[in-house]
Short mmCIF file of all heavy atoms in Angstrom, two decimals:
data_model
loop_
_atom_site.label_atom_id
_atom_site.label_comp_id
_atom_site.label_asym_id
_atom_site.label_seq_id
_atom_site.Cartn_x
_atom_site.Cartn_y
_atom_site.Cartn_z
N LYS A 158 24.40 8.69 3.28
CA LYS A 158 24.55 8.44 4.71
C LYS A 158 24.80 6.98 5.03
O LYS A 158 24.93 6.62 6.19
CB LYS A 158 23.31 8.94 5.45
CG LYS A 158 23.09 10.43 5.28
CD LYS A 158 21.83 10.90 5.97
CE LYS A 158 21.61 12.39 5.74
NZ LYS A 158 20.38 12.86 6.39
N SER A 159 24.81 6.12 4.04
CA SER A 159 24.99 4.70 4.28
C SER A 159 26.46 4.32 4.14
O SER A 159 27.13 4.75 3.21
CB SER A 159 24.14 3.89 3.31
OG SER A 159 24.41 2.52 3.43
N ASP A 160 26.93 3.53 5.07
CA ASP A 160 28.30 3.02 4.97
C ASP A 160 28.41 2.01 3.84
O ASP A 160 29.49 1.78 3.31
CB ASP A 160 28.71 2.36 6.30
CG ASP A 160 28.81 3.38 7.43
OD1 ASP A 160 29.07 4.56 7.12
OD2 ASP A 160 28.62 2.99 8.60
N GLN A 161 27.28 1.37 3.51
CA GLN A 161 27.26 0.41 2.42
C GLN A 161 26.67 1.10 1.19
O GLN A 161 25.47 1.18 1.03
CB GLN A 161 26.44 -0.82 2.81
CG GLN A 161 26.96 -1.59 4.00
CD GLN A 161 28.26 -2.30 3.70
OE1 GLN A 161 28.48 -2.78 2.59
NE2 GLN A 161 29.14 -2.37 4.69
N GLN A 162 27.50 1.61 0.33
CA GLN A 162 27.03 2.32 -0.85
C GLN A 162 26.41 1.35 -1.86
O GLN A 162 26.79 0.18 -1.93
CB GLN A 162 28.18 3.08 -1.51
CG GLN A 162 28.74 4.22 -0.65
CD GLN A 162 27.71 5.32 -0.43
OE1 GLN A 162 27.00 5.71 -1.36
NE2 GLN A 162 27.62 5.79 0.81
N VAL A 163 25.46 1.85 -2.64
CA VAL A 163 24.80 1.04 -3.66
C VAL A 163 25.79 0.70 -4.76
O VAL A 163 26.51 1.57 -5.27
CB VAL A 163 23.59 1.78 -4.25
CG1 VAL A 163 22.95 0.97 -5.38
CG2 VAL A 163 22.55 2.07 -3.17
N ASP A 164 25.84 -0.56 -5.13
CA ASP A 164 26.63 -1.00 -6.27
C ASP A 164 25.77 -0.78 -7.51
O ASP A 164 24.95 -1.63 -7.87
CB ASP A 164 27.02 -2.47 -6.11
CG ASP A 164 27.90 -2.98 -7.26
OD1 ASP A 164 27.94 -2.33 -8.32
OD2 ASP A 164 28.53 -4.04 -7.08
N TRP A 165 25.91 0.37 -8.12
CA TRP A 165 25.01 0.76 -9.21
C TRP A 165 25.11 -0.15 -10.42
O TRP A 165 24.12 -0.42 -11.10
CB TRP A 165 25.27 2.21 -9.62
CG TRP A 165 24.88 3.20 -8.57
CD1 TRP A 165 25.70 3.97 -7.81
CD2 TRP A 165 23.55 3.47 -8.10
NE1 TRP A 165 24.98 4.72 -6.91
CE2 TRP A 165 23.65 4.44 -7.08
CE3 TRP A 165 22.28 3.00 -8.45
CZ2 TRP A 165 22.55 4.94 -6.40
CZ3 TRP A 165 21.18 3.51 -7.79
CH2 TRP A 165 21.31 4.46 -6.78
N LYS A 166 26.30 -0.67 -10.69
CA LYS A 166 26.47 -1.56 -11.83
C LYS A 166 25.66 -2.83 -11.63
O LYS A 166 24.95 -3.31 -12.53
CB LYS A 166 27.95 -1.90 -12.01
CG LYS A 166 28.23 -2.76 -13.23
CD LYS A 166 29.73 -3.00 -13.39
CE LYS A 166 30.01 -3.88 -14.62
NZ LYS A 166 31.47 -4.13 -14.78
N THR A 167 25.73 -3.37 -10.39
CA THR A 167 24.97 -4.59 -10.08
C THR A 167 23.47 -4.31 -10.07
O THR A 167 22.66 -5.09 -10.58
CB THR A 167 25.40 -5.14 -8.71
OG1 THR A 167 26.80 -5.43 -8.75
CG2 THR A 167 24.62 -6.40 -8.35
N ALA A 168 23.09 -3.17 -9.49
CA ALA A 168 21.67 -2.81 -9.41
C ALA A 168 21.07 -2.62 -10.79
O ALA A 168 19.96 -3.08 -11.08
CB ALA A 168 21.49 -1.54 -8.58
N ALA A 169 21.81 -1.96 -11.68
CA ALA A 169 21.31 -1.70 -13.03
C ALA A 169 21.16 -2.99 -13.82
O ALA A 169 20.27 -3.11 -14.68
CB ALA A 169 22.25 -0.74 -13.76
N ALA A 170 22.02 -3.98 -13.54
CA ALA A 170 21.99 -5.24 -14.28
C ALA A 170 21.00 -6.24 -13.70
O ALA A 170 20.70 -7.26 -14.34
CB ALA A 170 23.39 -5.85 -14.32
N ALA A 171 20.51 -5.98 -12.49
CA ALA A 171 19.61 -6.94 -11.83
C ALA A 171 18.32 -7.11 -12.64
O ALA A 171 17.74 -6.15 -13.15
CB ALA A 171 19.28 -6.45 -10.43
N GLU A 172 17.89 -8.36 -12.77
CA GLU A 172 16.70 -8.65 -13.58
C GLU A 172 15.39 -8.47 -12.81
O GLU A 172 14.34 -8.35 -13.40
CB GLU A 172 16.79 -10.07 -14.12
CG GLU A 172 17.95 -10.26 -15.11
CD GLU A 172 17.96 -11.66 -15.70
OE1 GLU A 172 17.10 -12.47 -15.29
OE2 GLU A 172 18.81 -11.92 -16.55
N GLY A 173 15.44 -8.47 -11.51
CA GLY A 173 14.22 -8.39 -10.72
C GLY A 173 13.76 -6.96 -10.46
O GLY A 173 14.17 -6.01 -11.12
N THR A 174 12.90 -6.83 -9.48
CA THR A 174 12.33 -5.54 -9.09
C THR A 174 13.29 -4.81 -8.16
O THR A 174 13.86 -5.42 -7.25
CB THR A 174 10.98 -5.75 -8.37
OG1 THR A 174 10.13 -6.53 -9.22
CG2 THR A 174 10.32 -4.42 -8.05
N LEU A 175 13.45 -3.52 -8.35
CA LEU A 175 14.27 -2.69 -7.47
C LEU A 175 13.35 -1.81 -6.63
O LEU A 175 12.44 -1.17 -7.16
CB LEU A 175 15.22 -1.80 -8.28
CG LEU A 175 16.15 -2.47 -9.30
CD1 LEU A 175 17.07 -1.43 -9.93
CD2 LEU A 175 16.97 -3.58 -8.66
#
Side-chain angles (χ1 to χ4, degrees):
K158 299 178 182 179
S159 174
D160 293 333
Q161 299 291 325
Q162 294 295 317
V163 176
D164 182 342
W165 292 110
K166 183 177 180 181
T167 301
E172 295 184 357
T174 305
L175 306 183

